[in-house]
Amino acid sequence: MSREITIALDAMSGDHGPQVVVRAAIAALERNRDLALILVGREEALLAAMKARNVSPSERLRIHHAAQIVEMDELPSQAMRMKKDSSMRVAIDLVKSGQAGACVSAGNTGALMATARFVLKMLPGIDRPAICTTLPGLHGATRVLDLGANVDSKAEHLLEFAIMGSALASAADDLPRPRVGLLNIGAEEMKGNDQVREAAQLLAGSELNYAGFVEGADIYLGDVDVVVCDGFVGNVALKSSEGVASMIRELIREEFMRNPITRLAGLIALPVLHRLRRRIDPRRYNGASLLGLSGIVIKSHGGADVLAFGRAIDVAALEVTKDVPKLICRQVEATLAKREAV
């Protein structure tokens, strides 16, 4: 018999709040019969959103009242000090107390990271948390981290990110030995700054399946499963990729709408375009993992719709099932043991 998975949802977060979170929660419960969800937020607003969908609180869909909301532009320090009864903080507290196995929030990234780190603490052997997400690639999905939690990482931190990313890929993607690449300005050994070259030596001497340096294009075109980088670099790479994807979509639309002949061509190509859009749809890759914490926290995009937020719930459920924090601890222990034996 499957073990029930309970996930706390920061239902007041993001651009759409309860209207999206409640609908995504209902759909997630229909997909996964072993799932239970806790809607955290203002009870009146949550009841109204549930009533609009003709559902009521139940054993699998509960409400946990929280009076405050962390705003998207609020300083993390202010949120931690002044918003102890926020839907974000209470959802994380439920993970800390064991009432939930994971938290999902579409709220302020800085506040979420700071609050989660303060409440849940770091795993043994991990100094810095990292934000990891999945990006579509030509040969399958690629997990990339860090995407912005740290902007001044040392070589040791890049090793930690690689350990965490490898453990996540192994569990979530059923890969016994995920291939790990280190993002650099070139694949040659002499390329990169001191930080990256030192990290390469640490990775080569670890238990990980290190594949060497990779370039930005390899995130989408290469054959590695995990790409590791500094948070500053990773965030720039992610936002640049999102911009290019949006530009290409708009250019394709403009070209097909140029004249009656191109419109006809667009109608003929519609099935192919639909399949392409589905393969690269960012909503289907929503749900970034805040790795390194002693509990599971998933960050959803602030503008997530029902499909996207539902994907973040699925990511959280999978990580609870696989017990990703424990797998990370095991990988850290194996790496430290190898280094001590040398």
Side-chain angles (χ1 to χ4, degrees), residues 243-271:
V244 171
S246 297
M247 180 190 70
I248 291 174
R249 285 196 298 269
E250 181 60 24
L251 289 177
I252 291 174
R253 189 192 68 80
E254 288 180 3
E255 290 303 318
F256 276 125
M257 297 299 292
R258 187 170 295 277
N259 56 56
I261 294 177
T262 57
R263 290 193 186 95
L264 177 60
L267 288 174
I268 296 172
L270 205 55

Side-chain angles (χ1 to χ4, degrees), residues 300-332:
S300 167
H301 193 285
D305 61 7
V306 174
L307 174 63
F309 198 89
R311 170 59 184 160
I313 295 173
D314 293 342
V315 170
L318 178 62
E319 293 196 17
V320 173
T321 301
K322 298 290 188 176
D323 199 350
V324 169
K326 181 180 290 186
L327 295 177
I328 291 174
C329 285
R330 289 176 182 171
Q331 188 69 69
V332 170

Side-chain angles (χ1 to χ4, degrees), residues 7 9 31 103-105 283 285-288 298-301 304 306-317:
I7 298 173
L9 307 180
R31 288 193 302 272
C103 160
V104 179
S105 173
R283 299 177 302 166
Y285 296 90
N286 186 48
I298 303 299
K299 171 66 174 72
S300 167
H301 193 285
V306 174
L307 174 63
F309 198 89
R311 170 59 184 160
I313 295 173
D314 293 342
V315 170

Side-chain angles (χ1 to χ4, degrees), residues 18-299:
Q19 288 71 28
V20 160
V21 175
V22 169
R23 290 172 60 195
I26 294 169
L29 292 175
E30 292 175 352
R31 288 193 302 272
N32 189 343
R33 296 298 177 183
D34 297 321
L35 186 64
L37 299 173
I38 304 174
L39 299 171
V40 183
R42 292 173 177 168
E43 185 173 15
E44 183 178 349
L46 295 175
L47 286 173
M50 294 177 73
K51 183 178 180 181
R53 307 306 302 178
N54 294 317
V55 297
S56 302
S58 64
E59 284 296 316
R60 296 183 64 213
L61 187 61
R62 291 178 282 149
I63 292 177
H64 192 110
H65 178 69
Q68 297 174 304
I69 300 173
V70 174
E71 303 298 336
M72 295 299 284
D73 59 350
E74 197 161 348
L75 292 174
S77 57
Q78 180 176 321
M80 289 178 60
R81 289 197 313 270
M82 308 299 294
K83 299 288 183 71
K84 295 182 180 180
D85 193 33
S86 68
S87 54
M88 178 185 292
R89 173 64 178 269
V90 173
I92 296 172
D93 284 340
L94 290 173
V95 178
K96 174 68 174 180
S97 67
Q99 297 178 65
C103 160
V104 179
S105 173
N108 181 319
T109 303
L112 182 66
M113 177 62 80
T115 303
R117 185 171 184 177
F118 175 76
V119 173
L120 299 175
K121 311 304 180 187
M122 301 299 298
L123 289 169
I126 298 294
D127 182 52
R128 297 277 188 93
I131 300 175
C132 179
T133 197
T134 305
L135 297 176
L138 195 60
H139 304 292
T142 305
R143 296 186 180 271
V144 185
L145 72 167
D146 175 34
L147 295 177
N150 310 275
V151 296
D152 58 349
S153 306
K154 299 178 181 178
E156 289 280 353
H157 299 140
L158 294 178
L159 173 62
E160 291 179 5
F161 301 163
I163 291 170
M164 295 189 291
S166 179
L168 177 59
S170 179
D173 303 326
D174 294 321
L175 299 172
R177 296 273 290 163
R179 287 170 53 82
V180 179
L182 183 60
L183 190 61
N184 198 359
I185 58 174
E188 298 82 4
E189 290 186 6
M190 75 288 296
K191 292 289 184 69
N193 55 25
D194 293 340
Q195 169 211 40
V196 171
R197 290 199 299 269
E198 183 182 345
Q201 294 179 357
L202 295 176
L203 285 165
S206 72
E207 285 288 301
L208 302 175
N209 185 12
Y210 177 53
F213 291 140
V214 296
E215 299 182 34
D218 294 318
I219 296 174
Y220 303 97
L221 305 178
D223 60 354
V224 293
D225 306 300
V226 179
V227 172
V228 176
C229 57
D230 177 88
F232 184 91
V233 173
N235 192 267
V236 171
L238 176 65
K239 297 299 174 57
S240 298
S241 300
E242 291 175 347
V244 171
S246 297
M247 180 190 70
I248 291 174
R249 285 196 298 269
E250 181 60 24
L251 289 177
I252 291 174
R253 189 192 68 80
E254 288 180 3
E255 290 303 318
F256 276 125
M257 297 299 292
R258 187 170 295 277
N259 56 56
I261 294 177
T262 57
R263 290 193 186 95
L264 177 60
L267 288 174
I268 296 172
L270 205 55
V272 175
L273 293 174
H274 281 322
R275 288 196 296 271
L276 174 62
R277 184 171 62 181
R278 180 180 176 85
R279 287 182 65 180
I280 63 175
D281 187 348
R283 299 177 302 166
R284 297 186 179 278
Y285 296 90
N286 186 48
S289 307
L290 274 56
L291 299 179
L293 304 169
S294 63
I296 297 170
V297 178
I298 303 299
K299 171 66 174 72

